[in-house]
Amino acid sequence: MQHRDADLVLRQVLRHFQRAHRQDAAADHQHVGARGREDLGHYGAAYQPIEYLLIGSAVVVHLLFPLLARATGDADSFQDRYALGADALIGGFAAIAAMIVVLARPLVQAAYGSAYEPSAAPLALLACAMVFISINAWQGSALLAVGEQSRNLRYVVVAVVANILIDLA
């Protein structure tokens, strides 16, 4: 019976993420659509590979989280594990971002053709942002591990408000 319950919970979680993804895509379409369908296509082409890399960073963070959480009683061990995870994420994703920045045009050309060449600049920019997004996920996990969820929530609220203000500017 436990296996069936776990499958049900997993299906519900997946449905939630799919619904949220569709809502995000619709919001992106409305926001970027104001600039034109062509711009939307270029941005979407740039975002697609980055989305998969961000999922990869989430997998890394979730694999490292139990190691970090087990060290919460030992400050030195916690700091060492946090630093190790941060170094791995920054080093790994900075290297990937650097490769994407250098190879953005040929990658876009190979994947989408010359019609999508304007996607190269957003791809390079999103690749750089990926480094910060991955370390942000690690920071949030560290705060969660030490019971500071409310601090993480404050950071998220500030980021959402800042994002809205930037979008309106």
Side-chain angles (χ1 to χ4, degrees):
M1 193 60 159
Q2 289 178 349
H3 185 284
R4 186 174 285 167
D5 291 341
D7 285 345
L8 178 63
V9 169
L10 180 59
R11 279 195 301 270
Q12 288 173 338
V13 168
L14 288 174
R15 265 190 245 123
H16 168 75
F17 282 116
Q18 288 170 339
R19 187 171 38 251
H21 180 71
R22 282 193 303 272
Q23 289 170 346
D24 285 347
D28 283 348
H29 187 274
Q30 274 185 331
H31 178 73
V32 180
R35 296 187 58 187
R37 295 179 70 83
E38 192 171 308
D39 286 344
L40 178 62
H42 292 149
Y43 178 82
Y47 186 76
Q48 191 66 40
I50 299 301
E51 184 174 26
Y52 292 111
L53 291 169
L54 291 174
I55 291 169
S57 75
V59 168
V60 171
V61 167
H62 289 293
L63 287 173
L64 294 174
F65 178 74
L67 299 173
L68 185 66
R70 285 188 205 120
T72 55
D74 180 2
D76 290 334
S77 180
F78 185 85
Q79 288 176 343
D80 290 344
R81 291 176 187 193
Y82 176 80
L84 179 67
D87 290 346
L89 286 165
I90 292 170
F93 284 99
I96 292 169
M99 286 189 313
I100 290 173
V101 166
V102 170
L103 299 172
R105 289 202 190 291
L107 288 171
V108 167
Q109 178 72 27
Y112 303 114
S114 61
Y116 282 88
E117 188 176 326
S119 298
L123 176 62
L125 182 63
L126 289 168
C128 294
M130 177 185 62
V131 178
F132 297 102
I133 293 169
S134 66
I135 198 65
N136 182 55
W138 183 237
Q139 177 66 26
S141 293
L143 289 170
L144 182 65
V146 295
E148 291 289 334
Q149 297 89 330
S150 62
R151 184 175 297 183
N152 193 42
L153 179 61
R154 286 191 298 261
Y155 293 153
V156 170
V157 168
V158 169
V160 167
V161 170
N163 190 353
I164 291 169
L165 292 174
I166 290 168
D167 285 345
L168 293 175

